[in-house]
Amino acid sequence: MKILYIDGDGPFGGASRSLFEAVRALPAGSVEPHFVASRGTALDVYMQVAKDYVSTRGMTKFDNTRYSHYRGIRWLVLLREVFHLPFTVAALMKARHRWKDIDLIHVNEAVYIIPAMIAQRLFRVPMVVHVRSLNQSDLRSRRTRWLVDILARRAGAVVAINENTRATLPASLSVHVIQNSFTAKRAPKPDRHVVEKLDALRPGSLKVGFVGNLHHSKGLFEMLEAAKAIREAGRDVEFLVVGGVTTEEKGIKAWALARAGLAQNVQSELAAQIERDGLSDCFHLLGATLDIKCVYDRLDVLLFPSHYDAPGRPVFEAAFSAVPSIVSVSKPFADTLVDGETGIAIPAKDPAKLAEAILHFADNPDEVERMGANAKRLAESNFDPSTNARKLLELYQRVLQTA
């Protein structure tokens, strides 16, 4: 079975890691993966599992996600989408010329529905659409109605990564929930830079950490405010931030993204704020690493104070290391977070509640162990790579049988 995977995310992040894990775990010989992807670290990783690939400078999006849908100044982002359209078409036409017998298209995120539609017209095969982000769910919006209509008519199957994401799609739309996966293994070659920083942490301190790309929407500055409150409370807590900045753009494109709030030099802002607040002894920027299991093994509690109102990949990744989480989510679903059992749910943009949750673990170390053990059981049940890969393969087969 030859599958064309489409992904326009250049930096290797949560969505690309999820696709890589899924493809790598598919039964041997069941799929020949072919990729059309934007140049960047994500493509570098995809090349480990790809039969063949076509790269592109960028890929056109249609963004109707809850956080970054077009509104106000964000309409400027359409300049980026128009700019990327010729590169998108050229890459897909190159793929069509090179690969004559693709069986199925799998687009890694619904924001890339336009490239998926172009690919479907070129290859004349069914497609599977992954929905990895919370979407705008107001059906009074013409954009929302258009996207739902395309998914209903053009997609052979729609896959949501968890029940939180599924809840933002209409109940009338047929959606399969297949959780993401994580291979809980250390990297073959340790990241010495990160290991040295981890070794320098204070024995006996509570280690709480964030893992992911750095952006204001991830709640990093709420973490700084919480760190100040905890320092004033006299607790020995160290904060770790593991991740890098989003892609740096230049020229008019950079200006438009900055005006829209989609490109920010968060790492420099964080470093400056840490210095101003005198938090350098307890708030550490470790940078990005591929040896992520090494980080989780050294954490006591994972922090995910995102503004997105959903648990991200790090929540279940850390759980494989028996690490509970503090997550900004208003309505947690039991497939990812059980409040008070596998972690603690808090409101978004609330540093006081974040500090309160951290203090709960600092003052009750037995809770770290109890909730961590529960989190690990949940992760092993829901996020096993081989189990979820089999579910995905079965879905591919059903789509092809009914096409």
Side-chain angles (χ1 to χ4, degrees), residues 282-299:
C282 67
F283 208 103
H284 313 291
L285 304 180
L286 273 62
T289 181
L290 293 178
D291 193 8
I292 201 66
K293 180 68 164 54
C294 169
V295 175
Y296 293 136
D297 287 346
R298 303 288 281 273
L299 287 181

Side-chain angles (χ1 to χ4, degrees), residues 28-180:
S30 62
V31 164
E32 286 188 10
H34 296 68
F35 284 80
V36 172
S38 294
R39 296 169 195 151
T41 51
L43 179 57
D44 295 340
V45 175
Y46 289 151
M47 288 166 62
Q48 298 177 31
V49 294
K51 176 77 172 179
D52 197 4
Y53 69 92
V54 170
S55 65
T56 175
R57 178 173 175 174
M59 194 173 290
T60 298
K61 288 184 179 183
F62 175 79
D63 197 333
N64 199 46
T65 58
R66 182 177 292 178
Y67 173 71
S68 54
H69 64 280
Y70 308 119
R71 62 195 185 278
I73 196 70
R74 288 177 184 261
W75 282 107
L76 287 171
V77 178
L78 285 177
L79 295 173
R80 177 185 66 184
E81 315 311 349
V82 173
F83 176 79
H84 283 160
L85 186 58
F87 301 105
T88 302
V89 173
L92 291 169
M93 291 183 69
K94 182 177 181 180
R96 180 67 183 90
H97 177 75
R98 184 182 297 181
W99 310 318
K100 305 295 186 183
D101 51 354
I102 291 293
D103 298 306
L104 184 72
I105 297 164
H106 182 157
V107 58
N108 194 38
E109 171 60 277
V111 297
Y112 296 110
I113 192 65
I114 290 176
M117 292 167 64
I118 296 171
Q120 192 175 46
R121 181 170 292 275
L122 290 172
F123 286 93
R124 302 291 181 179
V125 297
M127 69 177 174
V128 172
V129 179
H130 235 112
V131 181
R132 299 188 182 277
S133 303
L134 301 184
N135 276 260
Q136 286 288 96
S137 54
D138 186 0
L139 290 176
R140 292 174 297 180
S141 164
R142 283 182 292 179
R143 283 173 282 164
T144 299
R145 292 199 305 272
W146 178 83
L147 179 59
V148 170
D149 179 65
I150 291 296
L151 293 176
R153 290 190 300 105
R154 301 286 292 271
V158 177
V159 181
I161 60 170
N162 54 38
E163 294 294 346
N164 283 84
T165 305
R166 201 285 169 245
T168 65
L169 299 169
S172 59
L173 183 66
S174 177
V175 179
H176 305 265
V177 175
I178 301 177
Q179 279 89 0
N180 289 326

Side-chain angles (χ1 to χ4, degrees), residues 1-7 12 14-36 42 45-52 104-108 128 130 132 178-183 313 384-393 396:
M1 185 188 312
K2 292 187 177 180
I3 309 293
L4 171 58
Y5 293 97
I6 296 175
D7 185 21
F12 186 58
S16 48
R17 182 184 291 275
S18 297
L19 180 59
F20 171 70
E21 290 274 2
V23 175
R24 181 171 62 173
L26 288 167
S30 62
V31 164
E32 286 188 10
H34 296 68
F35 284 80
V36 172
V45 175
Y46 289 151
M47 288 166 62
Q48 298 177 31
V49 294
K51 176 77 172 179
D52 197 4
L104 184 72
I105 297 164
H106 182 157
V107 58
N108 194 38
V128 172
H130 235 112
R132 299 188 182 277
I178 301 177
Q179 279 89 0
N180 289 326
S181 304
F182 180 57
T183 302
R313 273 192 66 91
D384 175 69
S386 58
T387 300
N388 292 335
R390 284 196 299 271
K391 292 179 182 178
L392 185 60
L393 180 60
Y396 289 162

